[in-house]
Amino acid sequence: MKAGVRGEYPSSIKGTPQGGVISPLLANIALDGFENLGYNQKVRTEYTHKGGKKSGKKYYKWSEGIRGIRYADDAVFICKPGADTKRLRKDIDKFLKSRGLRINETKTKVSKATDGFDFLGWRFRVNSRGVFKSTPSWENYADIKAKVKATWKNGTTTDARLKRIESQVRGWRQYHKNCDMSKHSLWSLNHWVWRKLRAEKRRMAIKEAEKARQMATRGKKPIQGAAKRQLTSEQVRKAFPKVSWKVNNHVMVRDDASPYNGNTSYWVGRNSKLYSGTTAEALRRQKNVCPHCNRFFMELDGAVELHHIDGNHNNWFRLNLVALHRECHQAQTVHQKRIVDGLVKRAVKA
Protein backbone atom coordinates (compact mmCIF):
# COMPACT_ATOMS: atom_id res chain seq x y z
CA MET A 1 0.00 0.00 0.00
CA LYS A 2 3.00 2.29 0.52
CA ALA A 3 4.60 1.36 -2.79
CA GLY A 4 5.04 4.11 -5.37
CA VAL A 5 3.96 4.26 -9.00
CA ARG A 6 6.66 3.79 -11.69
CA GLY A 7 9.20 5.92 -9.88
CA GLU A 8 7.22 9.15 -10.37
CA TYR A 9 5.91 8.79 -6.82
CA PRO A 10 8.53 6.88 -4.78
CA SER A 11 6.13 6.28 -1.89
CA SER A 12 2.49 6.79 -1.04
CA ILE A 13 1.76 9.12 1.87
CA LYS A 14 -2.03 8.93 1.80
CA GLY A 15 -4.12 5.78 1.65
CA THR A 16 -6.82 5.04 -0.89
CA PRO A 17 -10.22 6.70 -0.31
CA GLN A 18 -13.14 4.77 1.17
CA GLY A 19 -14.91 2.96 -1.68
CA GLY A 20 -12.12 3.65 -4.18
CA VAL A 21 -11.92 1.39 -7.24
CA ILE A 22 -8.60 -0.09 -6.11
CA SER A 23 -9.70 -0.73 -2.49
CA PRO A 24 -11.10 -4.27 -3.13
CA LEU A 25 -7.88 -5.27 -4.92
CA LEU A 26 -5.71 -4.01 -2.04
CA ALA A 27 -7.98 -5.79 0.45
CA ASN A 28 -7.66 -9.08 -1.45
CA ILE A 29 -3.87 -8.75 -1.50
CA ALA A 30 -3.56 -7.86 2.19
CA LEU A 31 -6.20 -10.27 3.52
CA ASP A 32 -5.45 -13.32 1.40
CA GLY A 33 -5.84 -16.35 3.66
CA PHE A 34 -7.84 -14.46 6.31
CA GLU A 35 -10.92 -16.60 5.64
CA ASN A 36 -8.93 -19.78 6.48
CA LEU A 37 -8.34 -18.80 10.10
CA GLY A 38 -9.80 -21.45 12.41
CA TYR A 39 -9.93 -23.98 9.58
CA ASN A 40 -7.99 -26.56 11.62
CA GLN A 41 -10.47 -26.50 14.49
CA LYS A 42 -12.62 -29.64 14.59
CA VAL A 43 -15.71 -30.23 16.71
CA ARG A 44 -17.51 -33.43 17.70
CA THR A 45 -21.13 -33.24 16.53
CA GLU A 46 -23.94 -35.52 17.68
CA TYR A 47 -26.35 -37.01 15.13
CA THR A 48 -29.29 -39.43 15.31
CA HIS A 49 -30.08 -42.26 12.90
CA LYS A 50 -33.44 -41.61 11.22
CA GLY A 51 -34.15 -45.01 9.69
CA GLY A 52 -33.17 -48.65 9.50
CA LYS A 53 -32.12 -50.95 12.32
CA LYS A 54 -30.22 -48.16 14.11
CA SER A 55 -33.16 -45.73 14.00
CA GLY A 56 -33.10 -43.45 17.04
CA LYS A 57 -29.54 -44.33 18.04
CA LYS A 58 -26.97 -41.59 18.38
CA TYR A 59 -23.63 -41.38 16.61
CA TYR A 60 -20.85 -38.78 16.46
CA LYS A 61 -18.78 -37.15 13.72
CA TRP A 62 -15.80 -34.86 13.70
CA SER A 63 -16.39 -31.94 11.38
CA GLU A 64 -15.13 -28.48 10.54
CA GLY A 65 -15.81 -26.24 13.55
CA ILE A 66 -15.29 -22.82 11.93
CA ARG A 67 -15.93 -21.70 8.38
CA GLY A 68 -14.72 -18.29 7.22
CA ILE A 69 -16.26 -16.36 4.33
CA ARG A 70 -14.64 -13.19 2.99
CA TYR A 71 -15.50 -10.68 0.27
CA ALA A 72 -12.76 -8.01 -0.05
CA ASP A 73 -12.52 -6.55 3.48
CA ASP A 74 -15.89 -7.89 4.74
CA ALA A 75 -15.78 -11.25 6.48
CA VAL A 76 -17.93 -13.52 8.61
CA PHE A 77 -16.97 -16.65 10.57
CA ILE A 78 -19.61 -19.32 11.15
CA CYS A 79 -18.84 -21.30 14.29
CA LYS A 80 -20.43 -24.57 15.36
CA PRO A 81 -21.23 -25.27 19.04
CA GLY A 82 -18.02 -26.22 20.81
CA ALA A 83 -15.71 -24.14 18.60
CA ASP A 84 -13.09 -22.07 20.42
CA THR A 85 -14.14 -18.51 19.50
CA LYS A 86 -11.59 -16.90 21.87
CA ARG A 87 -8.77 -18.67 20.09
CA LEU A 88 -10.22 -17.55 16.75
CA ARG A 89 -10.23 -13.91 17.91
CA LYS A 90 -6.57 -14.18 18.93
CA ASP A 91 -5.71 -15.63 15.52
CA ILE A 92 -7.57 -12.77 13.81
CA ASP A 93 -5.74 -10.09 15.84
CA LYS A 94 -2.38 -11.78 15.17
CA PHE A 95 -3.06 -12.05 11.43
CA LEU A 96 -4.07 -8.38 11.10
CA LYS A 97 -1.25 -7.09 13.32
CA SER A 98 1.36 -8.75 11.13
CA ARG A 99 0.01 -6.66 8.24
CA GLY A 100 -0.22 -3.40 10.14
CA LEU A 101 -4.00 -3.61 10.41
CA ARG A 102 -6.52 -3.90 13.22
CA ILE A 103 -10.10 -5.01 13.51
CA ASN A 104 -12.95 -2.47 13.39
CA GLU A 105 -14.65 -2.99 16.75
CA THR A 106 -17.72 -0.90 15.86
CA LYS A 107 -18.56 -3.19 12.93
CA THR A 108 -17.62 -6.44 14.67
CA LYS A 109 -20.08 -8.44 16.76
CA VAL A 110 -20.93 -11.97 17.85
CA SER A 111 -24.51 -13.09 17.28
CA LYS A 112 -26.49 -16.29 17.52
CA ALA A 113 -27.73 -17.94 14.36
CA THR A 114 -31.30 -17.59 15.66
CA ASP A 115 -30.81 -13.82 16.04
CA GLY A 116 -29.41 -13.51 12.54
CA PHE A 117 -26.82 -11.22 11.00
CA ASP A 118 -26.40 -9.04 7.89
CA PHE A 119 -23.68 -9.68 5.32
CA LEU A 120 -23.30 -8.16 1.84
CA GLY A 121 -26.90 -6.93 1.74
CA TRP A 122 -28.37 -10.26 2.87
CA ARG A 123 -29.96 -11.24 6.16
CA PHE A 124 -28.98 -14.73 7.38
CA ARG A 125 -31.04 -16.35 10.12
CA VAL A 126 -32.13 -19.72 11.50
CA ASN A 127 -35.82 -19.56 12.40
CA SER A 128 -37.58 -21.20 15.36
CA ARG A 129 -38.13 -24.41 13.36
CA GLY A 130 -34.40 -24.75 12.73
CA VAL A 131 -34.64 -23.78 9.05
CA PHE A 132 -31.85 -21.60 7.68
CA LYS A 133 -32.92 -18.83 5.30
CA SER A 134 -31.39 -15.83 3.63
CA THR A 135 -33.39 -12.74 2.75
CA PRO A 136 -32.53 -9.22 1.57
CA SER A 137 -31.53 -7.13 4.59
CA TRP A 138 -33.96 -4.38 5.57
CA GLU A 139 -31.27 -1.77 4.95
CA ASN A 140 -30.75 -3.09 1.42
CA TYR A 141 -34.53 -3.24 0.91
CA ALA A 142 -34.84 0.41 1.99
CA ASP A 143 -32.00 1.38 -0.36
CA ILE A 144 -33.72 0.02 -3.49
CA LYS A 145 -36.97 1.80 -2.58
CA ALA A 146 -35.13 5.09 -2.03
CA LYS A 147 -33.18 4.64 -5.28
CA VAL A 148 -36.32 4.01 -7.37
CA LYS A 149 -38.16 6.99 -5.84
CA ALA A 150 -35.16 9.25 -6.43
CA THR A 151 -35.01 8.09 -10.06
CA TRP A 152 -38.67 8.95 -10.57
CA LYS A 153 -38.39 12.37 -8.92
CA ASN A 154 -35.13 13.41 -10.60
CA GLY A 155 -35.62 11.85 -14.01
CA THR A 156 -36.29 13.56 -17.34
CA THR A 157 -38.84 11.92 -19.63
CA THR A 158 -41.30 9.27 -18.47
CA ASP A 159 -39.84 6.58 -20.77
CA ALA A 160 -36.28 7.33 -19.59
CA ARG A 161 -37.31 7.07 -15.94
CA LEU A 162 -39.20 3.81 -16.43
CA LYS A 163 -36.25 2.31 -18.34
CA ARG A 164 -33.86 3.33 -15.54
CA ILE A 165 -36.19 1.85 -12.91
CA GLU A 166 -36.40 -1.38 -14.93
CA SER A 167 -32.61 -1.68 -14.86
CA GLN A 168 -32.47 -1.00 -11.09
CA VAL A 169 -35.23 -3.48 -10.20
CA ARG A 170 -33.86 -6.23 -12.47
CA GLY A 171 -30.36 -5.83 -11.01
CA TRP A 172 -31.68 -5.89 -7.44
CA ARG A 173 -33.81 -8.97 -8.00
CA GLN A 174 -31.01 -10.70 -9.90
CA TYR A 175 -28.63 -10.08 -6.97
CA HIS A 176 -31.11 -11.57 -4.49
CA LYS A 177 -32.34 -14.48 -6.65
CA ASN A 178 -30.88 -16.99 -4.15
CA CYS A 179 -32.82 -15.44 -1.25
CA ASP A 180 -36.35 -16.00 0.05
CA MET A 181 -38.17 -13.22 -1.83
CA SER A 182 -41.71 -14.11 -0.72
CA LYS A 183 -41.91 -11.00 1.52
CA HIS A 184 -39.86 -8.72 -0.73
CA SER A 185 -42.00 -8.49 -3.86
CA LEU A 186 -41.73 -4.66 -4.07
CA TRP A 187 -45.53 -4.49 -4.35
CA SER A 188 -45.81 -1.20 -2.43
CA LEU A 189 -43.07 0.37 -4.56
CA ASN A 190 -44.76 -0.91 -7.71
CA HIS A 191 -48.05 0.68 -6.64
CA TRP A 192 -46.27 3.95 -5.73
CA VAL A 193 -44.81 4.24 -9.25
CA TRP A 194 -48.21 3.32 -10.74
CA ARG A 195 -49.97 6.13 -8.83
CA LYS A 196 -47.26 8.65 -9.78
CA LEU A 197 -47.45 7.66 -13.45
CA ARG A 198 -51.24 7.81 -13.48
CA ALA A 199 -51.23 11.25 -11.84
CA GLU A 200 -48.69 12.47 -14.39
CA LYS A 201 -50.83 11.24 -17.28
CA ARG A 202 -53.87 12.93 -15.77
CA ARG A 203 -52.01 16.25 -15.61
CA MET A 204 -50.91 15.84 -19.22
CA ALA A 205 -54.52 15.10 -20.26
CA ILE A 206 -55.68 18.29 -18.54
CA LYS A 207 -53.10 20.39 -20.35
CA GLU A 208 -53.93 18.85 -23.71
CA ALA A 209 -57.67 19.32 -23.14
CA GLU A 210 -57.25 22.93 -22.09
CA LYS A 211 -54.99 23.66 -25.03
CA ALA A 212 -57.40 22.19 -27.55
CA ARG A 213 -60.46 23.54 -25.69
CA GLN A 214 -62.21 20.17 -25.88
CA MET A 215 -63.32 19.88 -22.25
CA ALA A 216 -67.10 19.89 -21.88
CA THR A 217 -66.96 21.02 -18.23
CA ARG A 218 -64.00 23.29 -17.67
CA GLY A 219 -62.21 23.28 -14.35
CA LYS A 220 -62.88 19.58 -13.61
CA LYS A 221 -60.20 16.90 -13.85
CA PRO A 222 -60.90 14.28 -16.51
CA ILE A 223 -61.33 10.81 -15.05
CA GLN A 224 -58.91 8.28 -16.49
CA GLY A 225 -60.75 5.48 -18.25
CA ALA A 226 -60.16 1.74 -17.83
CA ALA A 227 -58.16 1.59 -21.08
CA LYS A 228 -55.74 4.27 -19.88
CA ARG A 229 -55.37 2.59 -16.48
CA GLN A 230 -54.58 -0.67 -18.25
CA LEU A 231 -51.88 1.08 -20.30
CA THR A 232 -50.40 2.52 -17.11
CA SER A 233 -50.38 -0.94 -15.50
CA GLU A 234 -48.62 -2.40 -18.56
CA GLN A 235 -45.89 0.26 -18.45
CA VAL A 236 -45.28 -0.30 -14.73
CA ARG A 237 -45.27 -4.09 -15.21
CA LYS A 238 -42.41 -3.73 -17.68
CA ALA A 239 -40.56 -1.45 -15.25
CA PHE A 240 -40.70 -4.19 -12.57
CA PRO A 241 -39.49 -7.32 -14.44
CA LYS A 242 -39.85 -10.65 -12.67
CA VAL A 243 -36.77 -12.74 -11.86
CA SER A 244 -37.14 -16.33 -10.69
CA TRP A 245 -35.63 -17.09 -7.28
CA LYS A 246 -34.70 -20.15 -5.26
CA VAL A 247 -33.76 -19.87 -1.62
CA ASN A 248 -30.30 -21.07 -0.47
CA ASN A 249 -29.22 -21.87 -4.03
CA HIS A 250 -25.98 -19.87 -3.99
CA VAL A 251 -22.72 -21.81 -4.46
CA MET A 252 -19.56 -20.19 -3.12
CA VAL A 253 -16.45 -19.89 -5.27
CA ARG A 254 -13.93 -22.66 -4.64
CA ASP A 255 -10.96 -21.65 -2.47
CA ASP A 256 -8.42 -22.52 -5.16
CA ALA A 257 -10.37 -21.02 -8.09
CA SER A 258 -9.24 -17.89 -9.93
CA PRO A 259 -10.14 -16.48 -13.37
CA TYR A 260 -6.40 -16.26 -14.05
CA ASN A 261 -5.35 -19.85 -13.30
CA GLY A 262 -6.55 -21.29 -16.61
CA ASN A 263 -9.57 -23.17 -15.21
CA THR A 264 -11.87 -21.89 -17.97
CA SER A 265 -14.58 -24.57 -17.72
CA TYR A 266 -15.23 -23.78 -14.05
CA TRP A 267 -15.74 -20.04 -14.61
CA VAL A 268 -17.76 -20.55 -17.79
CA GLY A 269 -20.17 -22.75 -15.82
CA ARG A 270 -20.51 -20.17 -13.03
CA ASN A 271 -20.96 -17.29 -15.47
CA SER A 272 -23.81 -19.05 -17.31
CA LYS A 273 -25.80 -19.25 -14.05
CA LEU A 274 -25.87 -15.46 -13.81
CA TYR A 275 -28.46 -15.35 -16.59
CA SER A 276 -32.01 -16.59 -16.86
CA GLY A 277 -34.82 -16.81 -19.40
CA THR A 278 -34.05 -16.28 -23.10
CA THR A 279 -30.38 -15.39 -22.53
CA ALA A 280 -29.76 -18.55 -20.47
CA GLU A 281 -31.44 -20.66 -23.17
CA ALA A 282 -29.23 -19.11 -25.86
CA LEU A 283 -26.10 -19.78 -23.78
CA ARG A 284 -27.05 -23.44 -23.34
CA ARG A 285 -27.75 -23.79 -27.05
CA GLN A 286 -24.37 -22.27 -27.92
CA LYS A 287 -22.55 -24.23 -25.18
CA ASN A 288 -21.35 -20.93 -23.67
CA VAL A 289 -19.37 -20.00 -26.81
CA CYS A 290 -19.71 -16.70 -28.69
CA PRO A 291 -20.26 -17.60 -32.41
CA HIS A 292 -18.66 -14.34 -33.59
CA CYS A 293 -15.22 -14.72 -31.95
CA ASN A 294 -15.43 -18.43 -30.91
CA ARG A 295 -14.39 -17.55 -27.33
CA PHE A 296 -16.05 -18.68 -24.12
CA PHE A 297 -18.20 -16.23 -22.18
CA MET A 298 -16.21 -15.27 -19.08
CA GLU A 299 -17.29 -12.97 -16.27
CA LEU A 300 -14.31 -10.72 -16.99
CA ASP A 301 -15.60 -10.16 -20.55
CA GLY A 302 -18.55 -8.11 -19.32
CA ALA A 303 -22.26 -8.55 -19.98
CA VAL A 304 -23.69 -11.03 -22.46
CA GLU A 305 -26.08 -9.40 -24.96
CA LEU A 306 -28.84 -10.89 -27.12
CA HIS A 307 -28.63 -10.19 -30.86
CA HIS A 308 -31.64 -10.34 -33.19
CA ILE A 309 -30.24 -11.85 -36.38
CA ASP A 310 -32.78 -10.20 -38.71
CA GLY A 311 -32.47 -6.84 -36.93
CA ASN A 312 -36.14 -6.93 -35.89
CA HIS A 313 -36.29 -6.41 -32.12
CA ASN A 314 -39.93 -7.53 -32.09
CA ASN A 315 -39.00 -10.98 -33.42
CA TRP A 316 -38.24 -13.07 -30.32
CA PHE A 317 -38.30 -16.45 -32.07
CA ARG A 318 -35.52 -18.46 -30.41
CA LEU A 319 -33.69 -19.23 -33.67
CA ASN A 320 -33.55 -15.50 -34.36
CA LEU A 321 -31.66 -14.88 -31.11
CA VAL A 322 -27.97 -15.38 -30.44
CA ALA A 323 -25.87 -14.51 -27.39
CA LEU A 324 -22.80 -12.35 -28.08
CA HIS A 325 -20.13 -10.40 -26.26
CA ARG A 326 -20.90 -6.68 -26.19
CA GLU A 327 -18.08 -5.80 -28.61
CA CYS A 328 -19.10 -8.69 -30.90
CA HIS A 329 -22.69 -7.46 -30.82
CA GLN A 330 -21.67 -3.97 -31.89
CA ALA A 331 -19.63 -5.41 -34.77
CA GLN A 332 -22.68 -7.03 -36.41
CA THR A 333 -23.49 -5.74 -39.92
CA VAL A 334 -27.05 -4.73 -38.94
CA HIS A 335 -25.83 -2.47 -36.14
CA GLN A 336 -22.89 -1.11 -38.12
CA LYS A 337 -25.31 -0.03 -40.88
CA ARG A 338 -27.52 1.75 -38.32
CA ILE A 339 -24.51 3.59 -36.88
CA VAL A 340 -23.42 4.72 -40.37
CA ASP A 341 -26.97 5.80 -41.29
CA GLY A 342 -27.18 7.77 -38.05
CA LEU A 343 -23.89 9.56 -38.74
CA VAL A 344 -25.02 10.39 -42.31
CA LYS A 345 -28.30 11.87 -41.05
CA ARG A 346 -26.48 13.99 -38.50
CA ALA A 347 -24.07 15.21 -41.21
CA VAL A 348 -26.98 16.14 -43.51
CA LYS A 349 -28.73 18.05 -40.70
CA ALA A 350 -25.51 19.89 -39.89
Side-chain angles (χ1 to χ4, degrees):
M1 293 183 186
K2 295 180 180 179
V5 180
R6 292 187 180 180
E8 297 178 14
Y9 303 95
S11 62
S12 299
I13 300 173
K14 294 182 179 180
T16 56
Q18 182 75 17
V21 292
I22 200 173
S23 294
L25 174 61
L26 294 176
N28 283 331
I29 294 172
L31 299 176
D32 183 43
F34 181 76
E35 63 278 6
N36 296 326
L37 296 177
Y39 179 77
N40 294 326
Q41 284 199 39
K42 303 293 181 181
V43 294
R44 190 168 178 246
T45 308
E46 181 182 291
Y47 297 91
T48 304
H49 288 283
K50 294 184 178 180
K53 296 180 180 179
K54 297 183 179 180
S55 179
K57 292 185 177 181
K58 296 180 180 179
Y59 66 99
Y60 300 89
K61 276 187 177 181
W62 288 93
S63 60
E64 188 178 288
I66 298 174
R67 180 65 186 270
I69 303 166
R70 181 180 64 83
Y71 185 86
D73 59 347
D74 291 324
V76 61
F77 288 91
I78 301 174
C79 306
K80 289 184 178 180
D84 191 348
T85 54
K86 292 183 178 179
R87 178 184 160 191
L88 173 63
R89 177 56 194 268
K90 289 180 180 179
D91 291 341
I92 291 173
D93 291 337
K94 183 179 178 181
F95 181 94
L96 295 177
K97 187 177 180 180
S98 65
R99 288 157 174 78
L101 304 171
R102 64 177 182 275
I103 200 166
N104 189 335
E105 298 290 351
T106 58
K107 295 183 179 180
T108 304
K109 67 174 184 178
V110 178
S111 62
K112 295 181 180 179
T114 50
D115 295 334
F117 61 93
D118 293 346
F119 184 60
L120 301 178
W122 289 10
R123 178 72 177 174
F124 298 93
R125 182 175 173 268
V126 176
N127 63 22
S128 56
R129 293 178 297 173
V131 179
F132 170 80
K133 280 188 178 182
S134 57
T135 59
S137 67
W138 286 110
E139 183 179 353
N140 187 275
Y141 188 51
D143 284 346
I144 184 63
K145 292 197 290 185
K147 189 181 293 184
V148 168
K149 289 182 179 181
T151 299
W152 181 263
K153 293 175 182 177
N154 303 326
T156 52
T157 65
T158 301
D159 290 339
R161 284 180 289 179
L162 290 175
K163 192 171 183 179
R164 177 62 179 162
I165 290 172
E166 178 187 356
S167 176
Q168 292 170 341
V169 172
R170 179 184 284 108
W172 186 80
R173 284 179 168 168
Q174 188 74 18
Y175 180 77
H176 295 291
K177 67 178 182 179
N178 295 315
C179 291
D180 181 4
M181 301 293 286
S182 57
K183 295 182 180 179
H184 296 79
S185 63
L186 299 179
W187 181 90
S188 61
L189 186 62
N190 184 307
H191 188 61
W192 183 88
V193 173
W194 186 88
R195 286 190 294 106
K196 291 292 182 182
L197 180 58
R198 188 181 173 194
E200 187 175 279
K201 287 192 173 187
R202 185 183 288 116
R203 287 194 297 270
M204 291 174 62
I206 292 173
K207 289 181 180 179
E208 290 176 2
E210 288 180 350
K211 188 175 180 180
R213 296 184 179 181
Q214 294 176 352
M215 292 183 67
T217 55
R218 298 182 64 83
K220 291 186 178 181
K221 294 181 179 180
I223 300 174
Q224 215 175 19
K228 291 185 178 180
R229 286 198 296 270
Q230 186 176 0
L231 178 61
T232 303
S233 299
E234 180 66 19
Q235 285 180 295
V236 175
R237 185 188 65 80
K238 290 181 179 179
F240 285 78
K242 293 183 179 179
V243 175
S244 59
W245 56 271
K246 187 176 181 181
V247 66
N248 298 343
N249 198 40
H250 178 71
V251 179
M252 293 206 312
V253 176
R254 284 202 325 242
D255 295 341
D256 59 344
S258 170
Y260 303 102
N261 65 1
N263 193 352
T264 306
S265 59
Y266 173 79
W267 290 102
V268 167
R270 284 192 66 90
N271 187 57
S272 63
K273 294 178 182 178
L274 297 175
Y275 299 91
S276 58
T278 311
T279 306
E281 183 183 349
L283 287 172
R284 284 194 296 270
R285 191 168 62 248
Q286 298 168 206
K287 297 182 179 179
N288 294 304
V289 175
C290 176
H292 181 81
C293 62
N294 292 322
R295 290 188 297 111
F296 283 108
F297 290 103
M298 299 286 285
E299 191 171 358
L300 296 174
D301 295 333
V304 175
E305 295 185 351
L306 275 180
H307 170 60
H308 295 74
I309 297 174
D310 62 357
N312 181 10
H313 284 199
N314 293 321
N315 183 3
W316 287 87
F317 183 57
R318 68 185 189 91
L319 294 181
N320 187 50
L321 301 173
V322 60
L324 299 172
H325 293 108
R326 177 165 294 175
E327 61 272 17
C328 298
H329 191 191
Q330 294 172 348
Q332 298 305 304
T333 307
V334 174
H335 299 294
Q336 288 292 325
K337 185 177 182 300
R338 287 179 180 175
I339 293 171
V340 172
D341 290 345
L343 292 173
V344 171
K345 288 181 180 178
R346 289 180 184 177
V348 170
K349 288 182 179 179

